[in-house]
Every structure is written in C-alpha cells, then in structure tokens.
Amino acid sequence: MIKKTFLLTLVGLSLVACNKEEQKVTKLNSDDEKAAYAIGLDLAHNFKIQGFDKDLNVNIIKQAMEDKFGNKELLFSEDSIQFFMKDYIPKHLEKVSKRNSEESKKFLEENKKKDGVKTTASGLQYKVEKEGKGDKPSDEDIVSVNYILKGIDGSVIEDSKKQTDGKPADIPLSRVVPGWREGVKLMSKGAKYTLYVPSDLAYGDNGPAGPNMALIFEVELVDFKPMPKELKDQAGMEQLSPEQIEQLKNQMQQQKNK
C-alpha cells in the first residue's frame, strides 16, 4: 500500500507546475488553480504519511521539476532513477517505520500518565469523555458510531460525519482493528470515548498515518444491533482494510436510505 502510494506520488509530481516568479498565492481564481492546489494537498498528504516531510528537501524537488520543465541539464540521470529508487524505497520505509514506532511508543508512555487515561492488558489506552447507559456491544453486533480518526500529532485523518452526511456509520464490530473493537466493546449507548490505539492493535505497516504509527479515535456509540444473518454467513470474517470498511459503510448507508 505504502509503496504503491509512493509510486503514485512520483507520477503526481510530474503534473505539478512550479511558480517561477515565487509569488505567494492568497486566492484561487480559476478551476486550474484550484486543481493545482488540490494536487499539492494530495501530494503533501502522501508525503507526510510516508515520512518524506521529514526527510526530503522540497526545494530540490522543485528544482528537479523546473529543470525537467525547462529542458535543462539534469543533475541525476533519468536512466538510473528506477534502479536507485528500487534500492532507496525499502530502506526509507524501514527508517520511517522505526521512527514512527519510537514516536508512538514515546507518545503512549506519556499519554498513559495523564488524568483519566486507562490502559488495558492489551496496551490499548482510553479515556471516558462521557459515559453511556445500558448494555455493551459484542463481536456479533453492528455498531452505529460517530468517530474522528487522528494521528498522534492531532491531525484529522478521517471524520465519519463528513462521509455519511452527518449520520452515524454502521460498522460490523467483528471486522475492525483489534484496538478499536476492544475500546467500543467497553462502551454503552450514548458513551463517548477517546481511544489511543498502538500500531500493533491497528493497521501496522499499512496505517493511515504512516507505517507503525499509533492512532487516536474519538468515538461516540450511538446504537448497536445484531449482525444480519447474511453478513454472518459470509465466508472469511477477517479484519477489513480501511478501504473495505468504507465500501461496506457506503453499502449499508444506501440500504438505510431506501
């Protein structure tokens, strides 16, 4: 996933035109300018996930683009780039993975000392923002939740309400990452918890904030109900990827709107 994103990022770089006059844009006046800004945001997002924001010199990236667009003599032969990157990528990912793991460990060590934060036997940390009432969901349930996914730096990665027109997202609890599942099973209807999930209880190398990066989930449990028989009968009750969860949420939302 990360390697594929990296290659897509490299392709995307060739689409971005540099502002040679070094003028700071304060307003987007055309669709082309909006598209350019959108591409820049997407590249920045991918760069951050892959750790390039901490390792790569953006000015050199810009110079390479200007040299290519201007048909200037290149400092790095294009014929050798593919072989270089084939060697560089796994080394870089290993470095980023190790750095993220260390940063996450440090964050969780400090976080567990804060008032109200509890730690379970698995290493999951959680804080009760608002307690609910009644029963708690099980692995056999579909939970209706509002949630915000954040990186440990506080940056918002995903807001469920923005994807469901403000309605709760329906998710089979047995098919999400272990840390999220464990935390939600502690909650009753109406509860709001903040979950601090170590990477090994989340997405591991394929984390949406980067490989081996811990995640923060702000979760509100609106409701839960038994999983329909057709979902139980589906083969392979394996953990879903973020993309599969998104597809499932969209399907269930469409059924709800019928």
Side-chain angles (χ1 to χ4, degrees), residues 75-142:
L75 302 179
F76 193 169
S77 170
E78 291 182 281
D79 294 336
S80 60
I81 287 178
Q82 182 177 354
F83 296 101
F84 169 78
M85 296 308 296
K86 184 178 180 180
D87 182 61
Y88 173 81
I89 291 174
K91 292 180 180 178
H92 173 78
L93 292 177
E94 182 179 357
K95 177 175 65 174
V96 172
S97 181
K98 181 180 179 180
R99 182 169 63 209
N100 287 349
S101 180
E102 292 173 351
E103 289 180 2
S104 295
K105 181 178 179 180
K106 181 179 179 180
F107 169 82
L108 292 169
E109 284 293 325
E110 293 298 321
N111 190 67
K112 70 180 183 181
K113 301 174 185 177
K114 295 181 179 179
D115 291 342
V117 175
K118 300 179 181 179
T119 305
T120 70
S122 71
L124 171 71
Q125 297 178 8
Y126 70 96
K127 181 179 180 181
V128 178
E129 309 294 349
K130 176 186 175 184
E131 199 57 276
K133 295 181 179 180
D135 296 333
K136 295 175 171 57
S138 72
D139 289 338
E140 299 296 311
D141 291 326
I142 290 178

Side-chain angles (χ1 to χ4, degrees), residues 144-148 159-170 192 220-223 246 249-250 253 256-257:
S144 295
V145 294
N146 296 313
Y147 68 87
I148 297 176
D159 186 337
S160 66
K161 286 186 177 181
K162 292 183 179 180
Q163 300 177 347
T164 59
D165 295 326
K167 300 177 182 178
D170 290 343
K192 294 182 180 180
E220 176 187 12
L221 179 59
V222 179
D223 200 356
E246 188 60 35
K249 287 192 295 184
N250 291 336
Q253 189 64 41
K256 183 187 294 186
N257 293 335

Side-chain angles (χ1 to χ4, degrees), residues 5-256:
T5 304
F6 175 80
L7 294 176
L8 290 175
T9 299
L10 290 180
V11 172
L13 280 173
S14 67
L15 302 176
V16 184
C18 295
N19 187 340
K20 297 182 179 181
E21 297 181 1
E22 298 293 339
Q23 293 179 348
K24 184 77 172 180
V25 176
T26 58
K27 184 178 180 181
L28 304 175
N29 297 309
S30 68
D31 287 346
D32 286 339
E33 290 183 353
K34 292 178 181 178
Y37 197 78
I39 291 172
L41 290 177
D42 186 58
L43 293 176
H45 172 72
N46 289 331
F47 269 29
K48 188 173 182 179
I49 290 176
Q50 297 162 52
F52 291 123
D53 59 318
K54 298 179 180 179
D55 296 321
L56 297 189
N57 187 322
V58 176
N59 290 327
I60 295 178
I61 296 174
K62 178 180 177 182
Q63 180 180 330
M65 294 168 65
E66 290 178 336
D67 288 349
K68 181 64 176 179
F69 293 153
N71 294 318
K72 298 178 181 179
E73 182 178 355
L74 303 181
L75 302 179
F76 193 169
S77 170
E78 291 182 281
D79 294 336
S80 60
I81 287 178
Q82 182 177 354
F83 296 101
F84 169 78
M85 296 308 296
K86 184 178 180 180
D87 182 61
Y88 173 81
I89 291 174
K91 292 180 180 178
H92 173 78
L93 292 177
E94 182 179 357
K95 177 175 65 174
V96 172
S97 181
K98 181 180 179 180
R99 182 169 63 209
N100 287 349
S101 180
E102 292 173 351
E103 289 180 2
S104 295
K105 181 178 179 180
K106 181 179 179 180
F107 169 82
L108 292 169
E109 284 293 325
E110 293 298 321
N111 190 67
K112 70 180 183 181
K113 301 174 185 177
K114 295 181 179 179
D115 291 342
V117 175
K118 300 179 181 179
T119 305
T120 70
S122 71
L124 171 71
Q125 297 178 8
Y126 70 96
K127 181 179 180 181
V128 178
E129 309 294 349
K130 176 186 175 184
E131 199 57 276
K133 295 181 179 180
D135 296 333
K136 295 175 171 57
S138 72
D139 289 338
E140 299 296 311
D141 291 326
I142 290 178
V143 293
S144 295
V145 294
N146 296 313
Y147 68 87
I148 297 176
L149 169 60
K150 296 181 177 181
I152 60 174
D153 61 356
S155 59
V156 176
I157 300 171
E158 182 179 350
D159 186 337
S160 66
K161 286 186 177 181
K162 292 183 179 180
Q163 300 177 347
T164 59
D165 295 326
K167 300 177 182 178
D170 290 343
I171 304 174
L173 194 52
S174 64
R175 303 193 186 185
V176 295
V177 295
W180 200 90
R181 180 167 67 247
E182 180 184 356
V184 173
K185 286 166 64 176
L186 297 173
M187 304 170 68
S188 298
K189 293 181 184 179
K192 294 182 180 180
Y193 282 23
T194 299
L195 309 178
Y196 306 92
V197 185
S199 174
D200 61 336
L201 297 178
Y203 299 104
D205 288 339
N206 294 320
N212 287 338
M213 183 63 82
L215 298 171
I216 301 173
F217 289 90
E218 297 177 0
V219 185
E220 176 187 12
L221 179 59
V222 179
D223 200 356
F224 61 89
K225 57 189 175 184
M227 186 183 301
K229 185 177 183 301
E230 56 267 26
L231 284 180
K232 286 185 181 181
D233 292 343
Q234 287 180 1
M237 295 289 285
E238 74 281 359
Q239 175 185 305
L240 296 178
S241 67
E243 292 82 4
Q244 290 172 320
I245 290 175
E246 188 60 35
Q247 292 174 0
L248 183 59
K249 287 192 295 184
N250 291 336
Q251 292 172 2
M252 298 182 72
Q253 189 64 41
Q254 291 173 2
Q255 293 177 0
K256 183 187 294 186

